[in-house]
Amino acid sequence: MTQLRLILGKILNPISDSSIKYYPDGLLVLEKVKAEEYKVVKITRSSEINKYKGEIFDFSDRVIIPSFFDMHFHWVQDDVRQMPKDSLLDWLDKYTFPTEAKFKNKTFSRKEAKHFFKRLVKVGTLGGACFSSVHEHALDDAFENCIGDFVIGNVLMTMNSPKSLIQTKDEAKKTVDNGFKKYKNKYAVTPRFAIATDPETMKYGHEKARKRKAFIQSHLSENKAEIEFVLDIYKNMKGFERVETYTDIYDQVNGLGPQTLMAHGIHLSSKELTKLARTKTSIIHCPTSNAPTKKLGLGSGLFDFKQVEKHKVRWALGSDIGGGPYLSMFDVMQSFVAQNNSKDATYSKALFRSTLMGAKILGIEKTHGNLQRNKWGNLLVLSKIKTYQDDCPEKILKRICHKYRNSREKYDTLVENVFYKGKMI
Ligand code: GUN
Ligand code: FE
C-alpha cells in the first residue's frame, strides 16, 4: 500500500516570473517513494481530503511555499556579514580574508559548519551554490553538514592574495582533483575571481569541470575598482594583451558555459551580455550585497535585470553571505523589489528567482524548485500572516516580505516548519 502525507495550507506555487499558482484552501498530497522520502502527487483543494488516506499535517491557516535555492553564498563568511563595508576590495582585505584564514583551524571550521548549516535550514534554504575557503577540510565540513541539494567548491587563490590564504598552482589544482574524487559533480570548480586565480589554474579547473559535467562558479563585474584592477593585471599578462572586458578573461580560460554561475554581473556591456547569453552562462544577482552601505551592502551598484533579460541571459537570486548581511531569502527578495522600484520587479518574480529558477540553473527542475507532481516534497510552512478573500499571490508575498523590512534580522523567524523530501526537519 502506498503511504501518503496530506499537508493542508494556503499554498503558493511559483511557475514563472509572472505566474504563481495560489491555493487558498490547498491540499498537498505527498507519496512515499523510499524510506522517509516523499514526492508530490498533486496539489488540490482541501475539500478533497476524504479521497485520501494518510498522515495529516494541518497548516490550513499558514502559507506554504517551496523551499529556497540560494544560488550564491560563502558559508565561511558568516562572521563578516555585518562588518563595516565601504567597498569590495577593502572589505575583502580588511575583514573577509582574515576571517577565511581562521578556517585553517579544523576545530574552528567544524564548529562553524555545524552552526551555519543548521541556521541555513532554519531560514528555509535547501539548495544552491556555495563557496568555501581554500581549505580542503572546510569543504568536507560543508558537505558533511549541509542539508539539501548544493554544489560546493573551495575557492582557488593563487595570486594577489594574502600569505595566510595563497596557494601554489599545484596546490590549487590538487584541491580540484581531490574535490572531484570525493564529491563527483557536487563539487564546483570555484576560482574566487580572475584577480585572485591565475589563468593556468582556472583553465585546468574549467576543463576538469567540463569533463565531469560539473559546475563552475566565480565573481564577475561586481564593482568598478575591481574591473579596473582585473583589466590592469591581465593586460600585462602574456596571451591576454588584447583582452577588452572582464567577461573576455573568463571566456579565454574556457570559463563560460551552461554550467557556469557568475555572481553579480552588475557593470556589463551589451557585448558582454551577448557573450554570456551565447554561452548560456548564468548570472546570480545578489541585491542585498550590492545595496548601498547604509543598507549593510557593499554599495556595488544596481543590477539591470531588464537589460539582462532582454539579452536572454539566465539569472537567479543569491544572498552572497557575507557580502549580503542576512541569510534569509525573504530579505533578498525584499531588497530586489525595493531597489528596483519598477512594475516589473515583483515579489512573484523574486520568489520564482529564489526557487524554481535556481533549480533550473542547477539542472534539477524535474525534481526540485516547486510543488509540481513528481518533485520532492521540499517546502516551507511560514509563520502566521493575515490573508483575505480577494488576495492574489503578489499581495500575500508583499505582506510577508514587508513584515520585517525594518527589522531585517527577524526574517529568520518567518519559517516555522521545513520539510525536506516530505520529512519535517
Ligand atoms: N569577489 C571575490 N571574492 C569575493 C567575496 O568573497 N565576496 C564578494 N562579494 N565578492 C568577491
Ligand atoms: Fe560572493
Side-chain angles (χ1 to χ4, degrees):
M1 212 183 86
T2 57
Q3 286 188 48
L4 301 181
R5 285 195 161 168
L6 308 171
I7 302 180
L8 294 161
K10 302 167 190 291
I11 303 169
L12 287 172
N13 199 25
I15 307 295
S16 69
D17 276 327
S18 55
S19 163
I20 308 282
K21 288 227 167 106
Y22 180 41
Y23 305 81
D25 291 298
L27 166 65
L28 180 70
V29 182
L30 301 180
E31 176 185 26
K32 193 175 192 168
V33 291
K34 272 194 220 167
E36 284 310 298
E37 292 190 353
Y38 293 77
K39 279 193 169 174
V40 175
V41 177
K42 72 186 308 191
I43 309 183
T44 180
R45 268 171 284 134
S46 59
S47 56
E48 299 214 339
I49 195 158
N50 293 328
K51 288 190 185 167
Y52 303 95
K53 226 189 188 137
E55 201 179 340
I56 296 172
F57 295 81
D58 187 358
F59 299 114
S60 41
D61 59 349
R62 297 287 199 271
V63 171
I64 290 177
I65 61 171
S67 60
F68 289 125
F69 280 83
D70 184 343
M71 293 298 287
H72 178 78
F73 64 98
H74 304 251
W75 86 266
V76 288
Q77 293 182 16
D78 200 26
D79 296 338
V80 288
R81 292 182 294 118
Q82 312 217 42
M83 293 287 187
K85 294 171 183 169
D86 83 61
S87 73
L88 170 68
L89 298 175
D90 278 350
W91 172 79
L92 286 173
D93 278 339
K94 259 195 232 159
Y95 303 107
T96 310
F97 294 155
T99 298
E100 289 191 20
K102 289 195 210 163
F103 284 79
K104 181 166 187 226
N105 181 309
K106 292 184 179 174
T107 314
F108 175 79
S109 171
R110 199 174 311 128
K111 208 169 122 215
E112 289 272 312
K114 279 195 170 43
H115 178 69
F116 178 84
F117 286 102
K118 233 182 237 163
R119 282 190 24 248
L120 197 64
V121 169
K122 269 193 150 172
V123 300
T125 297
L126 292 179
C130 171
F131 281 47
S132 194
S133 62
V134 290
H135 315 97
E136 292 188 275
H137 59 264
L139 180 73
D140 297 336
D141 292 333
F143 273 111
E144 215 165 277
N145 287 282
C146 70
I147 298 177
D149 302 276
F150 294 92
V151 297
I152 314 174
N154 55 285
V155 286
L156 308 173
M157 300 176 72
T158 56
M159 59 183 201
N160 301 305
S161 301
K163 262 207 195 96
S164 56
L165 291 171
I166 200 161
Q167 308 160 294
T168 64
K169 291 177 189 176
D170 283 344
E171 282 166 350
K173 289 176 188 172
K174 188 93 181 107
T175 65
V176 172
D177 294 344
N178 290 342
F180 278 126
K181 226 180 262 163
K182 282 191 190 167
Y183 303 111
K184 311 289 184 281
N185 66 352
K186 293 258 170 206
Y187 179 72
V189 172
T190 309
R192 181 168 207 125
F193 57 170
I195 291 176
T197 322
D198 73 276
E200 182 189 319
T201 302
M202 285 201 277
K203 212 165 171 190
Y204 179 88
H206 296 158
E207 272 153 22
K208 291 254 154 160
R210 292 203 198 286
K211 252 189 222 140
R212 300 267 189 166
K213 296 197 170 21
F215 284 87
I216 295 165
Q217 53 178 353
S218 193
H219 295 92
L220 168 66
S221 283
E222 176 175 5
N223 163 296
K224 295 240 167 93
E226 172 209 20
I227 298 167
E228 260 173 47
F229 189 26
V230 82
L231 289 175
D232 231 38
I233 297 169
Y234 279 78
K235 273 187 183 148
N236 295 311
M237 243 188 233
K238 205 166 161 245
F240 289 85
E241 297 89 346
R242 292 155 67 119
V243 132
E244 278 176 13
T245 67
Y246 200 166
T247 302
D248 287 344
I249 295 172
Y250 288 123
D251 190 24
Q252 203 168 311
V253 291
N254 196 14
L256 307 180
Q259 284 191 282
T260 297
L261 318 176
M262 284 293 173
H264 305 296
I266 301 174
H267 312 281
L268 294 170
S269 65
S270 177
K271 219 167 151 186
E272 289 179 280
L273 285 169
T274 303
K275 187 170 258 185
L276 295 178
R278 186 170 48 71
T279 55
K280 299 193 167 65
T281 302
S282 295
I283 298 178
I284 310 306
H285 170 37
C286 307
T288 55
S289 167
N290 304 158
T293 49
K294 66 175 191 298
K295 299 270 185 199
L296 309 177
L298 287 163
S300 302
L302 185 63
F303 177 71
D304 193 343
F305 75 92
K306 287 191 199 167
Q307 226 11 52
V308 168
E309 287 178 13
K310 212 161 108 189
H311 284 81
K312 297 197 162 31
V313 177
R314 298 188 300 166
W315 71 274
L317 284 167
S319 69
D320 193 28
I321 296 301
Y326 299 107
L327 246 55
S328 170
M329 289 305 288
F330 286 115
D331 185 52
V332 175
M333 288 167 61
Q334 171 60 30
S335 175
F336 167 70
V337 175
Q339 278 184 53
N340 278 287
N341 190 21
S342 141
K343 68 171 178 23
D344 298 320
T346 61
Y347 290 96
S348 303
K349 186 186 203 54
L351 181 64
F352 169 67
R353 302 273 167 181
S354 304
T355 54
L356 185 55
M357 195 60 207
K360 282 188 184 195
I361 288 173
L362 289 179
I364 53 174
E365 75 276 17
K366 286 204 171 111
T367 46
H368 294 75
N370 68 9
L371 300 169
Q372 274 165 334
R373 186 178 167 77
N374 279 329
K375 300 203 189 192
W376 291 111
N378 297 344
L379 56 110
L380 312 176
V381 182
L382 306 187
S383 63
K384 199 163 175 175
I385 188 132
K386 275 207 178 81
T387 54
Y388 304 93
Q389 278 286 316
D390 64 339
D391 263 343
C392 63
E394 181 66 16
K395 271 192 193 166
I396 299 173
L397 287 170
K398 180 174 180 178
R399 211 171 295 134
I400 294 167
C401 292
H402 253 216
K403 191 167 171 186
Y404 295 129
R405 68 191 191 285
N406 297 320
S407 49
R408 295 168 61 188
E409 67 289 341
K410 289 202 189 136
Y411 280 114
D412 287 13
T413 65
L414 267 176
V415 178
E416 250 176 25
N417 285 294
V418 178
F419 285 77
Y420 180 60
K421 297 190 171 173
K423 205 170 82 179
M424 213 198 280
I425 52 175

